[in-house]
Amino acid sequence: MADGAVLIVGGTGGLGRELAAHFVGKGREVIITGRDADRAQSIAAELGGKASALGCDLAQPETIASALESVGQVDNLVLSAIARDENPVRDYDIASAVNLSTMKLVGYTETIHTLIPRLSDESSVVLFGGRAKDRPYPGSTTVTAVNGAIATMITTFAVELAPIRFNAIHPGIVGDSPYWENKPLDAVLARTPTKRLATMEDVVDATVFLLENRSVNGINLYVDSGWLLM
Ligand SMILES: NC(=O)c1ccc[n+]([C@@H]2O[C@H](COP(=O)([O-])OP(=O)(O)OC[C@H]3O[C@@H](n4cnc5c(N)ncnc54)[C@H](OP(=O)(O)O)[C@@H]3O)[C@@H](O)[C@H]2O)c1
C-alpha cells in the first residue's frame, strides 16, 4: 500500500477537503490545492497533521507547471476541482463555459502531464466527473460534456501512462456536500431507489477504494444510490 504523498487538486473545499481529512487522519502527507495559496494554507492548517497547501489555478493551464514545482513524489493524485457553470444555451455565457472546460479538460490533463516524472509505477489517479453526464438538466451542457469527457479521458491516460492506474468517480447529488446541503432535493430523492442520497463519507470511501485497489483501472464508478435506475 502506498504511504507517500497524496495530492488533492481542489482539496480546499467540499469532497476534496473531506478526502484530505481522511488521509490526514491516516497519517499521510497530504498536499491540497485551491486557486489562492493563502486560503489553501489556512485550510491545510485547519486539517493539521502532515497537510500542506499550494495555490494552483486550473483555468490558467500555462501556470500549472510552475505552481506545482515544489511538489515531490506523488503516490496518489486526486483531481476534484470544479467551477459551477449553470449555463442555459439560450443565454449562453462563453466565459463561464470556457472556464469550466479549460479547468477540467486542459487543467486536469496538464496537471497529470506536469506530474508524470513524480509519479511511480505504483501511483494511482482519480478524476472527478459526475452523474450530470447521464442525467442532464437545463443549463448543464458544459457540465454534462466535461463529465462525459472525464469518463473517456481516464482510458487514454491508463493506456498512455501504464502502469499508473487512472479511474473516475461520478457522484450523484451528494446531499451533505456544501454545494447541495441547503438546497431542496425532494425531487431527486423521489427518483432515488434507496430514498437516501450519497454522502460525502460514501464518496470518500469509494475514492479511497479506487486509489488503493491495485487491480482497478480504467473504471467509471457511480456513487449515486442507483439514481439513474428511476
Ligand atoms: N457535490 C456534489 O454533489 C457533486 C456531484 C457530482 C459531481 N461532483 C464532483 O465532485 C468534485 C468536487 O465537487 P464539490 O461539490 O466537492 O466541489 P466544491 O465544494 O465546489 O469545491 C471545489 C474545489 O475546486 C477548487 N477550484 C475551483 N476553481 C478552481 C480553479 N480554477 N483551479 C483550481 N481549483 C479550483 C476550489 O478551490 P478554491 O475555491 O480554493 O479555489 C475547491 O477546492 C467536482 O469535480 C464535481 O464535479 C460533485
Side-chain angles (χ1 to χ4, degrees):
M1 192 79 54
D3 61 0
V6 183
L7 173 59
I8 304 176
V9 175
T12 56
L15 295 163
R17 181 178 173 154
E18 199 73 3
L19 195 60
H22 167 87
F23 283 117
V24 166
K26 297 282 176 196
R28 298 280 296 273
E29 180 192 347
V30 176
I31 307 162
I32 59 168
T33 78
R35 285 163 293 184
D36 181 74
D38 289 343
R39 180 168 178 272
Q41 274 151 17
S42 73
I43 291 163
E46 286 170 23
L47 287 167
K50 291 194 260 176
S52 62
L54 292 169
C56 177
D57 186 350
L58 295 185
Q60 307 287 331
E62 312 76 12
T63 66
I64 291 173
S66 60
L68 299 180
E69 213 161 19
S70 64
V71 173
Q73 203 66 27
V74 174
D75 285 348
N76 300 121
L77 170 63
V78 176
L79 295 152
S80 62
I82 179 79
R84 256 73 198 196
D85 175 51
E86 291 187 24
N87 202 344
V89 181
R90 287 183 200 283
D91 301 308
Y92 196 49
D93 179 336
I94 293 174
S96 178
V98 168
N99 184 56
L100 176 56
S101 308
T102 304
M103 274 183 70
K104 279 223 173 191
L105 305 187
V106 184
Y108 277 20
T109 306
E110 171 59 9
T111 301
I112 292 164
H113 162 250
T114 296
L115 292 173
I116 290 171
R118 288 166 265 178
L119 299 170
S120 74
D121 287 358
E122 299 294 319
S123 294
S124 60
V125 183
V126 168
L127 284 71
F128 271 69
R131 265 312 208 184
K133 90 179 172 68
D134 310 295
R135 178 146 279 169
Y137 50 86
S140 79
T141 296
T142 316
V143 176
T144 296
V146 296
N147 287 344
I150 294 287
T152 58
M153 285 157 64
I154 56 164
T155 63
T156 57
F157 295 148
V159 168
E160 283 191 39
L161 303 176
I164 300 168
R165 294 183 299 105
F166 291 84
N167 293 290
I169 186 156
H170 301 273
I173 285 172
V174 182
D176 62 347
S177 64
Y179 185 72
W180 288 109
E181 63 185 343
N182 294 317
K183 295 191 171 72
L185 295 171
D186 289 350
V188 181
L189 271 172
R191 291 183 78 177
T192 303
T194 61
K195 304 295 177 229
R196 176 192 169 280
L197 298 180
T199 63
M200 300 227 281
E201 186 183 357
D202 298 332
V203 175
V204 167
D205 180 63
T207 308
V208 171
F209 162 72
L210 292 175
L211 288 171
E212 296 187 349
N213 188 298
R214 297 178 65 192
S215 298
V216 177
N217 192 20
I219 288 294
N220 286 294
L221 184 60
Y222 303 119
V223 183
D224 65 356
S225 301
W227 189 28
L228 265 287
L229 299 173
M230 290 174 72

